[in-house]
Amino acid sequence: MRTVQGAALDGLRARVRALAARHRPERAGRSPRGEAPLADRGPAVPGLGAAAPGRRTSVRESSRYAAPAAESPARAALAGFGVLLRGLARPRPGEVRTSAAALRALRARHGDAPALVRTRSGRTVLVLLDPQDLRRFYTEPVSVLAAATPDKCRGPNPGEPADSADSGCARGEPGAQRREVSAEVLAAGRPVHPSHGPFLAALAEEARHLTGSASATGAVPLDLARARYAVQRAARRIVLGDAAAADEQLSGWLTQLRAEGRGARAGRARAARSVQDKARARIAEYAARADGDTLAGRAARHADPTGTLDPVGQAQHWLLAMDAVPGTLLRTLLLLGAHPAEQDLAVAEAVAEVAAGPDRGELPRLRACVRESLRLYPVVPDLIRVTRTETEWRGVRYPAGTSVLVPAAFHQRDPERVPAAHVFVPGRWKNPGADQDIRMAPFSHGGGRCPGGQLGLMATAALCAEVLRGHRVTGTRPVLDPVGPLPATLDPQGIRLTLTRR
């Protein structure tokens, strides 16, 4: 993993190379070997071979005229930009700060224009720095911007069904039909799921594992292992039914498949396929007898004359998606523990919700707390899509196959555009139109919006409410400053909470 010290060292090395370059000629348009990632290749930038106003250029043409970058403090910051492309890997706090510094340097250099950046691996990525471009990113159809790289369309990941709802693989109508069915089953866009009664009952029963065993002092410790255990039991009940509640082996298989990831060697790939076959067979057994209120049961209602919906693969995908809930739950409770006034308001709502009757599950204040937690610590910090055709951004044409990146975590915490960007302010989510704010993308926007976002919010807020009705968060690790800027990252592995009975 990269560190701030490593980025600084890279910057020092870049300066040494620059000094050496003054004493030897370089071929035009080429940088010294081993140089830090460049931000001056690609889109036309004033002072770097910019095109005349109104002229349309191609990315190849503009890069051909790009001059070598001058040495500046921004170059050291850019040395850490590669960490943005590490997907879901847990970044270290220093790396996130370095990435934010790199993006600020890019923006200062490019004036909000999309920036084409070459990473150390040689990969080029078009980075979007302006909300105007973010809106287009979210609204472009999959025929223009795919949600996954073309390689992903060649075959299924052992832990993911082919043509999954978020794969972005355009293989005709079956994929679109599957996305429509998934959105209907998950009740995308509806704050309270139609099956909220049994879902909330399952969450309430499993929440006892979050607050079950008190220590000798009467305090209840809560960490990630306990949160995962409770959430996985609830997820199996919501997706497959009560019969699957105790099946920890199934969750173990799914965790193993996720850990294998893509690119496994032949032996590991064969082992992953074996685990995948066992997981699918087990899910199929539960789905065959799941009642109509479960997600699997709701999916079974849909006609599938062509046999392309793959309800087993979809159920597996939903189980994997619920893995994001434990970390979000811990971060939200940690933030509430550091902000006693917000915790008091959340407790009052949780207590009042018991008498809400059929309106149970809304919990607007707790949902706002969960959203704010996801703004500060998004599950997916960077969104990458790939152009399927030649596209034009700010007068520069880019070929098909260009990777386009939205650094969502950066935009959601951008102090130049987001008030109190580094502070926990749940009230911002109660403003009209907050859910459509293009700068905030805890569940993305447009056609790529997560169809299970509302269900995830309902489940996480309900678990928070179950904890807070009978307990108060009185101790937290790490200790957060309630008024100062919050840390760049919060690794749920390191979160320890102390719950005290009310």
Side-chain angles (χ1 to χ4, degrees), residues 225-287:
R226 180 173 287 192
R228 277 179 175 163
Y229 180 78
V231 171
Q232 286 176 351
R233 283 183 60 92
R236 292 192 294 267
R237 294 177 66 177
I238 288 171
V239 176
L240 300 173
D242 294 345
D247 196 341
E248 296 180 45
Q249 186 179 47
L250 174 58
S251 292
W253 287 336
L254 298 181
T255 301
Q256 181 180 343
L257 288 171
R258 169 164 284 180
E260 289 290 341
R262 300 187 63 84
R265 298 188 182 276
R268 295 177 61 189
R270 284 193 296 270
R273 282 194 294 271
S274 175
V275 174
Q276 168 74 346
D277 291 341
K278 290 188 288 188
R280 284 182 62 88
R282 185 72 60 82
I283 291 172
E285 292 177 11
Y286 290 124

Side-chain angles (χ1 to χ4, degrees), residues 74 112 137 179 213 247 288 354 428 499:
D112 279 349
F137 176 90
R179 286 190 292 273
S213 54
D247 196 341
V354 174
R428 77 175 81 235
L499 310 177

Side-chain angles (χ1 to χ4, degrees), residues 2 7 35 67 88 157 160 170 177 195 200 227 246 269 272 324 335 349-350 385 412 446 466 471 480:
R2 302 276 299 138
E35 195 172 14
L88 296 176
N157 183 348
E160 178 182 278
Q177 182 184 6
S195 299
L200 292 175
L335 290 165
E349 180 181 73
R385 295 183 186 174
Q412 291 179 171
E466 293 294 336
H471 298 79
L480 303 181

Side-chain angles (χ1 to χ4, degrees), residues 147-167:
T149 61
D151 287 344
K152 189 173 179 181
C153 300
R154 295 176 184 171
N157 183 348
E160 178 182 278
D163 279 340
S164 68
D166 66 344
S167 72

Side-chain angles (χ1 to χ4, degrees), residues 93-478:
E95 290 176 333
V96 172
R97 286 194 294 269
T98 303
S99 299
L103 289 165
R104 285 194 295 270
L106 280 175
R107 188 162 62 190
R109 192 180 183 91
H110 287 254
D112 279 349
L116 194 69
V117 174
R118 182 178 297 127
T119 68
R120 290 185 178 278
S121 65
R123 181 182 182 184
T124 56
V125 179
L126 185 65
V127 184
L128 305 185
L129 302 170
D130 190 311
Q132 177 182 342
D133 295 318
L134 301 190
R135 190 174 302 280
R136 177 183 170 189
F137 176 90
Y138 292 124
T139 56
E140 287 283 16
V142 71
S143 59
V144 177
L145 273 180
T149 61
D151 287 344
K152 189 173 179 181
C153 300
R154 295 176 184 171
N157 183 348
E160 178 182 278
D163 279 340
S164 68
D166 66 344
S167 72
C169 300
R171 294 181 180 171
E173 185 61 26
Q177 182 184 6
R178 185 171 301 170
R179 286 190 292 273
E180 292 174 4
V181 171
S182 179
E184 184 176 340
V185 170
L186 297 171
R190 296 182 60 175
V192 179
H193 194 276
S195 299
H196 69 281
F199 288 179
L200 292 175
L203 291 164
E205 291 172 11
E206 301 305 337
R208 70 182 189 277
H209 298 292
L210 299 172
T211 60
S213 54
S215 65
T217 61
V220 178
L222 179 56
D223 58 12
L224 184 60
R226 180 173 287 192
R228 277 179 175 163
Y229 180 78
V231 171
Q232 286 176 351
R233 283 183 60 92
R236 292 192 294 267
R237 294 177 66 177
I238 288 171
V239 176
L240 300 173
D242 294 345
D247 196 341
E248 296 180 45
Q249 186 179 47
L250 174 58
S251 292
W253 287 336
L254 298 181
T255 301
Q256 181 180 343
L257 288 171
R258 169 164 284 180
E260 289 290 341
R262 300 187 63 84
R265 298 188 182 276
R268 295 177 61 189
R270 284 193 296 270
R273 282 194 294 271
S274 175
V275 174
Q276 168 74 346
D277 291 341
K278 290 188 288 188
R280 284 182 62 88
R282 185 72 60 82
I283 291 172
E285 292 177 11
Y286 290 124
R289 58 181 189 270
D291 63 53
D293 287 326
T294 63
L295 296 184
R298 290 174 62 84
R301 300 175 190 170
H302 292 270
D304 185 17
T306 60
T308 56
L309 289 181
D310 187 19
V312 173
Q314 203 61 51
Q316 176 176 324
H317 182 73
W318 294 328
L319 288 169
L320 287 168
M322 292 287 281
D323 283 351
V325 173
T328 303
L329 171 67
L330 284 185
R331 292 190 186 102
T332 304
L333 290 174
L334 176 72
L335 290 165
L336 288 172
H339 298 81
E342 290 291 348
Q343 185 175 178
D344 289 341
L345 294 172
V347 169
E349 180 181 73
V351 172
E353 201 251 358
V354 174
D359 295 328
R360 289 193 64 186
E362 292 189 358
L363 294 170
R365 183 171 293 279
L366 270 169
R367 285 181 184 238
C369 293
V370 176
R371 286 181 184 271
E372 182 70 347
S373 173
L374 289 170
R375 179 190 72 84
L376 292 163
Y377 306 105
V379 174
V380 182
D382 306 295
L383 305 174
I384 299 182
R385 295 183 186 174
V386 179
T387 59
R388 292 193 177 278
T389 61
E390 182 181 78
T391 58
E392 182 176 317
W393 298 81
R394 304 287 185 98
V396 179
R397 293 191 299 272
Y398 296 88
T402 300
S403 296
V404 183
L405 181 144
V406 168
F410 170 77
H411 286 292
Q412 291 179 171
R413 276 202 183 205
D414 183 2
E416 294 185 19
R417 293 190 170 106
V418 178
H422 300 293
V423 182
F424 181 64
V425 186
R428 77 175 81 235
W429 292 98
K430 301 183 73 175
N431 296 328
D435 192 47
Q436 284 74 45
D437 190 334
I438 208 69
R439 300 166 300 174
M440 312 296 182
F443 301 107
S444 190
H445 293 280
R449 188 179 182 91
C450 174
Q454 290 292 348
L455 178 57
L457 276 176
M458 187 186 84
T460 310
L463 288 170
C464 286
E466 293 294 336
V467 171
L468 294 175
R469 281 192 195 102
H471 298 79
R472 185 173 187 83
V473 182
T474 55
T476 65
R477 282 180 40 201

Side-chain angles (χ1 to χ4, degrees), residues 17 24 26 31-35:
R17 284 193 294 270
R24 69 175 188 273
E26 292 289 344
S31 58
R33 181 177 301 175
E35 195 172 14

